[in-house]
Amino acid sequence: MPVLTVEKGPNVGKRYKFDGDVFFGSDQRAQIHIPDRQVLPRHARITRKGDQFFIQDLTNTNTVAVNGRII
């Protein structure tokens, strides 16, 4: 099962397993909880299709970045 590992910030080293769609945001119920005022309750979703992963910005403001690049 694929795993996402946090590389920066207060949760560095924390690992999240991917089992279906994964939502992240500031909401306590998000699978990947990011307690930051700049992060919306449901900020983005990561979806797995086969061996590929897709990230979808749920903010409508282009504020999701991957490796420093806005998506």
Side-chain angles (χ1 to χ4, degrees):
M1 179 178 300
V3 175
L4 172 74
T5 303
V6 178
E7 294 184 357
K8 294 181 182 178
N11 293 328
V12 69
K14 189 163 183 177
R15 298 167 56 91
Y16 298 93
K17 294 181 181 178
F18 280 83
D19 185 21
D21 287 1
V22 175
F23 288 90
F24 62 92
S26 60
D27 189 311
Q28 291 281 347
R29 296 168 291 181
Q31 288 100 331
I32 300 176
H33 177 240
I34 303 171
D36 187 302
R37 292 187 315 203
Q38 294 180 346
V39 176
L40 295 177
R42 285 179 66 108
H43 206 88
R45 174 176 59 200
I46 299 174
T47 304
R48 179 181 182 190
K49 293 184 181 178
D51 291 336
Q52 295 183 321
F53 292 87
F54 301 90
I55 187 165
Q56 179 184 7
D57 181 352
L58 301 175
T59 67
N60 295 322
T61 58
N62 296 328
T63 57
V64 175
V66 176
N67 296 328
R69 301 176 93 185
I70 293 176
I71 64 165

